[in-house]
Amino acid sequence: MAKQIITLTGRNTVYDALTSQQKIQSVLLSTAVLTDPRIKKIENLAAKRGVKIDKVRPEQIDRLSESGKAQGVIAYLELPQPPTLDEILKTKTNPFLLFFNSLDYEQNLGAIMRSAWAAGVDAVIVPNSGVHEITPVVAKVSQGGAVYVPLISMSLFQALTKIKDQAIPLVGVEVNLGQDYTKQNLKGPIAFVFGGEAVSLSEPLKKYCDLFVHIPMVKEAASLNVSVATALIIFEKIRQERA
């Protein structure tokens, strides 16, 4: 399998990558920001790790970053091969997992990966259809999350069977089903199962769930964006555990 290289932009994102164990191929620094203290730290870290450093004109950074918000620094990172679900279940004492019935938009997957990273999710599992890999768009929107949270593409039914075998609670997130998500105990090992942008949980997937939660809404909207719903649910789990 060919190595997958993703582009990281922004001072904090690149700094975090350099302080991690991730494999950085090279770093580009804008000549306009070389005296900035944060950039100096990034340059020193890269040099200490033996990472190639190229100092380029500001317009080159802007062109390569696409968003134009690189803050004078770009890093090229070799995306690690994700662990298998079996490996995660063997190594994690309290697995924290997210399953999605279907995802059609790269931006949503990127936003999910970003929230998952911030919340300490152990893996995001998606089916082999739809959006199921780290594309440049997913990597950019995730702001580094795609590097640190494994994205596993596999049959959801096989994956959920493994979860059931481990007695990990499976919580379906579905409109008007189950309890208000803030009133359900979400502490400890858990796997959340979500629908997608335009579809609810399928009936076969619902049969795997041990219980359901929903996000109450004031107005009769069909549903929230899947990445927004994901963020609300997983940070409620974090809130409960910290409380």
Side-chain angles (χ1 to χ4, degrees), residues 30-55:
S30 167
T31 53
V33 297
L34 293 178
T35 59
D36 182 275
R38 189 67 165 175
I39 293 296
K40 284 185 174 294
K41 286 184 178 180
I42 289 172
E43 184 176 4
N44 291 337
L45 269 174
K48 186 176 180 180
R49 288 191 54 179
V51 175
K52 180 184 177 184
I53 302 170
D54 291 317
K55 298 174 182 178

PDB file of all heavy atoms in Angstrom, residues 30-55:
ATOM      1  N   SER A  30       7.414  30.136   6.161  1.00  0.00           N
ATOM      2  CA  SER A  30       7.408  31.376   5.400  1.00  0.00           C
ATOM      3  C   SER A  30       8.532  32.285   5.882  1.00  0.00           C
ATOM      4  O   SER A  30       8.743  32.450   7.089  1.00  0.00           O
ATOM      5  CB  SER A  30       6.060  32.078   5.560  1.00  0.00           C
ATOM      6  OG  SER A  30       6.130  33.406   5.089  1.00  0.00           O
ATOM      7  N   THR A  31       9.236  32.886   4.942  1.00  0.00           N
ATOM      8  CA  THR A  31      10.324  33.804   5.304  1.00  0.00           C
ATOM      9  C   THR A  31       9.797  35.049   6.016  1.00  0.00           C
ATOM     10  O   THR A  31      10.564  35.772   6.646  1.00  0.00           O
ATOM     11  CB  THR A  31      11.098  34.237   4.045  1.00  0.00           C
ATOM     12  OG1 THR A  31      10.170  34.765   3.078  1.00  0.00           O
ATOM     13  CG2 THR A  31      11.848  33.062   3.435  1.00  0.00           C
ATOM     14  N   ALA A  32       8.486  35.279   5.938  1.00  0.00           N
ATOM     15  CA  ALA A  32       7.904  36.476   6.562  1.00  0.00           C
ATOM     16  C   ALA A  32       7.690  36.309   8.064  1.00  0.00           C
ATOM     17  O   ALA A  32       7.415  37.293   8.756  1.00  0.00           O
ATOM     18  CB  ALA A  32       6.574  36.824   5.895  1.00  0.00           C
ATOM     19  N   VAL A  33       7.802  35.081   8.593  1.00  0.00           N
ATOM     20  CA  VAL A  33       7.474  34.852  10.004  1.00  0.00           C
ATOM     21  C   VAL A  33       8.621  34.194  10.778  1.00  0.00           C
ATOM     22  O   VAL A  33       8.424  33.722  11.902  1.00  0.00           O
ATOM     23  CB  VAL A  33       6.198  33.989  10.133  1.00  0.00           C
ATOM     24  CG1 VAL A  33       5.001  34.707   9.551  1.00  0.00           C
ATOM     25  CG2 VAL A  33       6.391  32.620   9.470  1.00  0.00           C
ATOM     26  N   LEU A  34       9.797  34.180  10.222  1.00  0.00           N
ATOM     27  CA  LEU A  34      10.902  33.439  10.836  1.00  0.00           C
ATOM     28  C   LEU A  34      11.295  33.963  12.214  1.00  0.00           C
ATOM     29  O   LEU A  34      11.867  33.223  13.017  1.00  0.00           O
ATOM     30  CB  LEU A  34      12.122  33.459   9.905  1.00  0.00           C
ATOM     31  CG  LEU A  34      11.969  32.691   8.587  1.00  0.00           C
ATOM     32  CD1 LEU A  34      13.214  32.838   7.736  1.00  0.00           C
ATOM     33  CD2 LEU A  34      11.659  31.219   8.845  1.00  0.00           C
ATOM     34  N   THR A  35      10.988  35.222  12.497  1.00  0.00           N
ATOM     35  CA  THR A  35      11.363  35.781  13.801  1.00  0.00           C
ATOM     36  C   THR A  35      10.285  35.565  14.864  1.00  0.00           C
ATOM     37  O   THR A  35      10.504  35.884  16.031  1.00  0.00           O
ATOM     38  CB  THR A  35      11.655  37.287  13.677  1.00  0.00           C
ATOM     39  OG1 THR A  35      10.485  37.952  13.173  1.00  0.00           O
ATOM     40  CG2 THR A  35      12.827  37.532  12.735  1.00  0.00           C
ATOM     41  N   ASP A  36       9.140  35.048  14.481  1.00  0.00           N
ATOM     42  CA  ASP A  36       8.050  34.817  15.435  1.00  0.00           C
ATOM     43  C   ASP A  36       8.470  33.736  16.440  1.00  0.00           C
ATOM     44  O   ASP A  36       8.993  32.684  16.051  1.00  0.00           O
ATOM     45  CB  ASP A  36       6.799  34.372  14.682  1.00  0.00           C
ATOM     46  CG  ASP A  36       5.617  34.167  15.617  1.00  0.00           C
ATOM     47  OD1 ASP A  36       5.500  33.064  16.193  1.00  0.00           O
ATOM     48  OD2 ASP A  36       4.827  35.108  15.777  1.00  0.00           O
ATOM     49  N   PRO A  37       8.247  33.943  17.738  1.00  0.00           N
ATOM     50  CA  PRO A  37       8.678  32.971  18.753  1.00  0.00           C
ATOM     51  C   PRO A  37       8.109  31.566  18.543  1.00  0.00           C
ATOM     52  O   PRO A  37       8.809  30.572  18.743  1.00  0.00           O
ATOM     53  CB  PRO A  37       8.177  33.586  20.063  1.00  0.00           C
ATOM     54  CG  PRO A  37       8.088  35.050  19.789  1.00  0.00           C
ATOM     55  CD  PRO A  37       7.688  35.159  18.354  1.00  0.00           C
ATOM     56  N   ARG A  38       6.840  31.480  18.145  1.00  0.00           N
ATOM     57  CA  ARG A  38       6.228  30.163  17.929  1.00  0.00           C
ATOM     58  C   ARG A  38       6.866  29.460  16.739  1.00  0.00           C
ATOM     59  O   ARG A  38       7.104  28.244  16.764  1.00  0.00           O
ATOM     60  CB  ARG A  38       4.726  30.318  17.695  1.00  0.00           C
ATOM     61  CG  ARG A  38       3.935  29.009  17.662  1.00  0.00           C
ATOM     62  CD  ARG A  38       3.913  28.344  19.015  1.00  0.00           C
ATOM     63  NE  ARG A  38       2.898  27.299  19.090  1.00  0.00           N
ATOM     64  CZ  ARG A  38       2.733  26.502  20.121  1.00  0.00           C
ATOM     65  NH1 ARG A  38       3.519  26.629  21.186  1.00  0.00           N
ATOM     66  NH2 ARG A  38       1.798  25.573  20.131  1.00  0.00           N
ATOM     67  N   ILE A  39       7.150  30.216  15.697  1.00  0.00           N
ATOM     68  CA  ILE A  39       7.793  29.645  14.515  1.00  0.00           C
ATOM     69  C   ILE A  39       9.197  29.175  14.857  1.00  0.00           C
ATOM     70  O   ILE A  39       9.663  28.119  14.392  1.00  0.00           O
ATOM     71  CB  ILE A  39       7.827  30.672  13.363  1.00  0.00           C
ATOM     72  CG1 ILE A  39       6.400  30.968  12.871  1.00  0.00           C
ATOM     73  CG2 ILE A  39       8.693  30.171  12.216  1.00  0.00           C
ATOM     74  CD1 ILE A  39       5.679  29.797  12.248  1.00  0.00           C
ATOM     75  N   LYS A  40       9.897  29.938  15.701  1.00  0.00           N
ATOM     76  CA  LYS A  40      11.239  29.530  16.123  1.00  0.00           C
ATOM     77  C   LYS A  40      11.183  28.194  16.876  1.00  0.00           C
ATOM     78  O   LYS A  40      12.048  27.324  16.710  1.00  0.00           O
ATOM     79  CB  LYS A  40      11.885  30.614  16.993  1.00  0.00           C
ATOM     80  CG  LYS A  40      12.401  31.818  16.209  1.00  0.00           C
ATOM     81  CD  LYS A  40      13.123  32.784  17.122  1.00  0.00           C
ATOM     82  CE  LYS A  40      13.768  33.902  16.334  1.00  0.00           C
ATOM     83  NZ  LYS A  40      14.862  33.408  15.461  1.00  0.00           N
ATOM     84  N   LYS A  41      10.162  28.014  17.729  1.00  0.00           N
ATOM     85  CA  LYS A  41      10.010  26.748  18.445  1.00  0.00           C
ATOM     86  C   LYS A  41       9.768  25.604  17.470  1.00  0.00           C
ATOM     87  O   LYS A  41      10.300  24.499  17.631  1.00  0.00           O
ATOM     88  CB  LYS A  41       8.850  26.846  19.437  1.00  0.00           C
ATOM     89  CG  LYS A  41       9.160  27.682  20.678  1.00  0.00           C
ATOM     90  CD  LYS A  41       7.995  27.639  21.657  1.00  0.00           C
ATOM     91  CE  LYS A  41       8.313  28.429  22.916  1.00  0.00           C
ATOM     92  NZ  LYS A  41       7.188  28.394  23.890  1.00  0.00           N
ATOM     93  N   ILE A  42       8.923  25.863  16.462  1.00  0.00           N
ATOM     94  CA  ILE A  42       8.649  24.843  15.451  1.00  0.00           C
ATOM     95  C   ILE A  42       9.925  24.490  14.689  1.00  0.00           C
ATOM     96  O   ILE A  42      10.230  23.312  14.468  1.00  0.00           O
ATOM     97  CB  ILE A  42       7.554  25.340  14.486  1.00  0.00           C
ATOM     98  CG1 ILE A  42       6.206  25.373  15.209  1.00  0.00           C
ATOM     99  CG2 ILE A  42       7.478  24.470  13.238  1.00  0.00           C
ATOM    100  CD1 ILE A  42       5.092  26.030  14.420  1.00  0.00           C
ATOM    101  N   GLU A  43      10.698  25.509  14.321  1.00  0.00           N
ATOM    102  CA  GLU A  43      11.945  25.269  13.591  1.00  0.00           C
ATOM    103  C   GLU A  43      12.922  24.464  14.436  1.00  0.00           C
ATOM    104  O   GLU A  43      13.563  23.521  13.953  1.00  0.00           O
ATOM    105  CB  GLU A  43      12.566  26.604  13.177  1.00  0.00           C
ATOM    106  CG  GLU A  43      13.821  26.439  12.330  1.00  0.00           C
ATOM    107  CD  GLU A  43      14.374  27.765  11.856  1.00  0.00           C
ATOM    108  OE1 GLU A  43      13.834  28.827  12.249  1.00  0.00           O
ATOM    109  OE2 GLU A  43      15.371  27.737  11.098  1.00  0.00           O
ATOM    110  N   ASN A  44      13.025  24.804  15.713  1.00  0.00           N
ATOM    111  CA  ASN A  44      13.941  24.080  16.603  1.00  0.00           C
ATOM    112  C   ASN A  44      13.499  22.623  16.797  1.00  0.00           C
ATOM    113  O   ASN A  44      14.326  21.709  16.822  1.00  0.00           O
ATOM    114  CB  ASN A  44      14.037  24.793  17.955  1.00  0.00           C
ATOM    115  CG  ASN A  44      14.759  26.122  17.865  1.00  0.00           C
ATOM    116  OD1 ASN A  44      15.549  26.341  16.944  1.00  0.00           O
ATOM    117  ND2 ASN A  44      14.486  27.022  18.790  1.00  0.00           N
ATOM    118  N   LEU A  45      12.195  22.424  16.958  1.00  0.00           N
ATOM    119  CA  LEU A  45      11.678  21.060  17.122  1.00  0.00           C
ATOM    120  C   LEU A  45      11.947  20.217  15.884  1.00  0.00           C
ATOM    121  O   LEU A  45      12.369  19.060  15.972  1.00  0.00           O
ATOM    122  CB  LEU A  45      10.176  21.100  17.390  1.00  0.00           C
ATOM    123  CG  LEU A  45       9.707  21.163  18.838  1.00  0.00           C
ATOM    124  CD1 LEU A  45       8.195  21.347  18.881  1.00  0.00           C
ATOM    125  CD2 LEU A  45      10.094  19.890  19.570  1.00  0.00           C
ATOM    126  N   ALA A  46      11.682  20.817  14.714  1.00  0.00           N
ATOM    127  CA  ALA A  46      11.906  20.088  13.464  1.00  0.00           C
ATOM    128  C   ALA A  46      13.375  19.727  13.301  1.00  0.00           C
ATOM    129  O   ALA A  46      13.718  18.606  12.924  1.00  0.00           O
ATOM    130  CB  ALA A  46      11.421  20.928  12.285  1.00  0.00           C
ATOM    131  N   ALA A  47      14.253  20.686  13.614  1.00  0.00           N
ATOM    132  CA  ALA A  47      15.695  20.427  13.500  1.00  0.00           C
ATOM    133  C   ALA A  47      16.130  19.323  14.465  1.00  0.00           C
ATOM    134  O   ALA A  47      16.929  18.446  14.117  1.00  0.00           O
ATOM    135  CB  ALA A  47      16.468  21.714  13.766  1.00  0.00           C
ATOM    136  N   LYS A  48      15.582  19.361  15.678  1.00  0.00           N
ATOM    137  CA  LYS A  48      15.936  18.351  16.686  1.00  0.00           C
ATOM    138  C   LYS A  48      15.518  16.951  16.240  1.00  0.00           C
ATOM    139  O   LYS A  48      16.215  15.970  16.506  1.00  0.00           O
ATOM    140  CB  LYS A  48      15.261  18.710  18.009  1.00  0.00           C
ATOM    141  CG  LYS A  48      15.674  17.823  19.176  1.00  0.00           C
ATOM    142  CD  LYS A  48      15.043  18.313  20.477  1.00  0.00           C
ATOM    143  CE  LYS A  48      15.464  17.431  21.652  1.00  0.00           C
ATOM    144  NZ  LYS A  48      14.856  17.907  22.920  1.00  0.00           N
ATOM    145  N   ARG A  49      14.397  16.866  15.546  1.00  0.00           N
ATOM    146  CA  ARG A  49      13.908  15.571  15.076  1.00  0.00           C
ATOM    147  C   ARG A  49      14.504  15.161  13.739  1.00  0.00           C
ATOM    148  O   ARG A  49      14.230  14.072  13.236  1.00  0.00           O
ATOM    149  CB  ARG A  49      12.382  15.602  14.958  1.00  0.00           C
ATOM    150  CG  ARG A  49      11.652  15.606  16.284  1.00  0.00           C
ATOM    151  CD  ARG A  49      10.169  15.361  16.085  1.00  0.00           C
ATOM    152  NE  ARG A  49       9.895  14.143  15.317  1.00  0.00           N
ATOM    153  CZ  ARG A  49       8.682  13.686  15.008  1.00  0.00           C
ATOM    154  NH1 ARG A  49       7.623  14.358  15.424  1.00  0.00           N
ATOM    155  NH2 ARG A  49       8.528  12.593  14.308  1.00  0.00           N
ATOM    156  N   GLY A  50      15.311  16.029  13.154  1.00  0.00           N
ATOM    157  CA  GLY A  50      15.912  15.703  11.868  1.00  0.00           C
ATOM    158  C   GLY A  50      14.962  15.832  10.696  1.00  0.00           C
ATOM    159  O   GLY A  50      15.152  15.209   9.647  1.00  0.00           O
ATOM    160  N   VAL A  51      13.919  16.661  10.866  1.00  0.00           N
ATOM    161  CA  VAL A  51      12.936  16.870   9.807  1.00  0.00           C
ATOM    162  C   VAL A  51      13.458  17.928   8.838  1.00  0.00           C
ATOM    163  O   VAL A  51      13.982  18.963   9.256  1.00  0.00           O
ATOM    164  CB  VAL A  51      11.583  17.320  10.401  1.00  0.00           C
ATOM    165  CG1 VAL A  51      10.588  17.667   9.297  1.00  0.00           C
ATOM    166  CG2 VAL A  51      11.014  16.232  11.304  1.00  0.00           C
ATOM    167  N   LYS A  52      13.311  17.679   7.566  1.00  0.00           N
ATOM    168  CA  LYS A  52      13.743  18.636   6.554  1.00  0.00           C
ATOM    169  C   LYS A  52      12.954  19.933   6.686  1.00  0.00           C
ATOM    170  O   LYS A  52      11.736  19.923   6.818  1.00  0.00           O
ATOM    171  CB  LYS A  52      13.533  18.049   5.159  1.00  0.00           C
ATOM    172  CG  LYS A  52      13.956  18.975   4.026  1.00  0.00           C
ATOM    173  CD  LYS A  52      13.629  18.349   2.675  1.00  0.00           C
ATOM    174  CE  LYS A  52      13.976  19.315   1.544  1.00  0.00           C
ATOM    175  NZ  LYS A  52      13.575  18.780   0.223  1.00  0.00           N
ATOM    176  N   ILE A  53      13.657  21.078   6.652  1.00  0.00           N
ATOM    177  CA  ILE A  53      13.023  22.392   6.775  1.00  0.00           C
ATOM    178  C   ILE A  53      13.313  23.191   5.510  1.00  0.00           C
ATOM    179  O   ILE A  53      14.471  23.344   5.104  1.00  0.00           O
ATOM    180  CB  ILE A  53      13.562  23.166   7.995  1.00  0.00           C
ATOM    181  CG1 ILE A  53      13.336  22.366   9.280  1.00  0.00           C
ATOM    182  CG2 ILE A  53      12.901  24.538   8.091  1.00  0.00           C
ATOM    183  CD1 ILE A  53      14.049  22.941  10.482  1.00  0.00           C
ATOM    184  N   ASP A  54      12.252  23.699   4.895  1.00  0.00           N
ATOM    185  CA  ASP A  54      12.401  24.559   3.723  1.00  0.00           C
ATOM    186  C   ASP A  54      11.817  25.926   4.039  1.00  0.00           C
ATOM    187  O   ASP A  54      10.680  26.024   4.528  1.00  0.00           O
ATOM    188  CB  ASP A  54      11.677  23.972   2.506  1.00  0.00           C
ATOM    189  CG  ASP A  54      12.351  22.717   1.982  1.00  0.00           C
ATOM    190  OD1 ASP A  54      13.592  22.703   1.903  1.00  0.00           O
ATOM    191  OD2 ASP A  54      11.634  21.753   1.667  1.00  0.00           O
ATOM    192  N   LYS A  55      12.588  26.972   3.762  1.00  0.00           N
ATOM    193  CA  LYS A  55      12.113  28.338   3.975  1.00  0.00           C
ATOM    194  C   LYS A  55      11.741  28.931   2.624  1.00  0.00           C
ATOM    195  O   LYS A  55      12.569  29.008   1.716  1.00  0.00           O
ATOM    196  CB  LYS A  55      13.197  29.162   4.671  1.00  0.00           C
ATOM    197  CG  LYS A  55      13.542  28.591   6.048  1.00  0.00           C
ATOM    198  CD  LYS A  55      14.703  29.298   6.710  1.00  0.00           C
ATOM    199  CE  LYS A  55      15.017  28.638   8.061  1.00  0.00           C
ATOM    200  NZ  LYS A  55      16.181  29.271   8.734  1.00  0.00           N
TER     201      LYS A  55
END
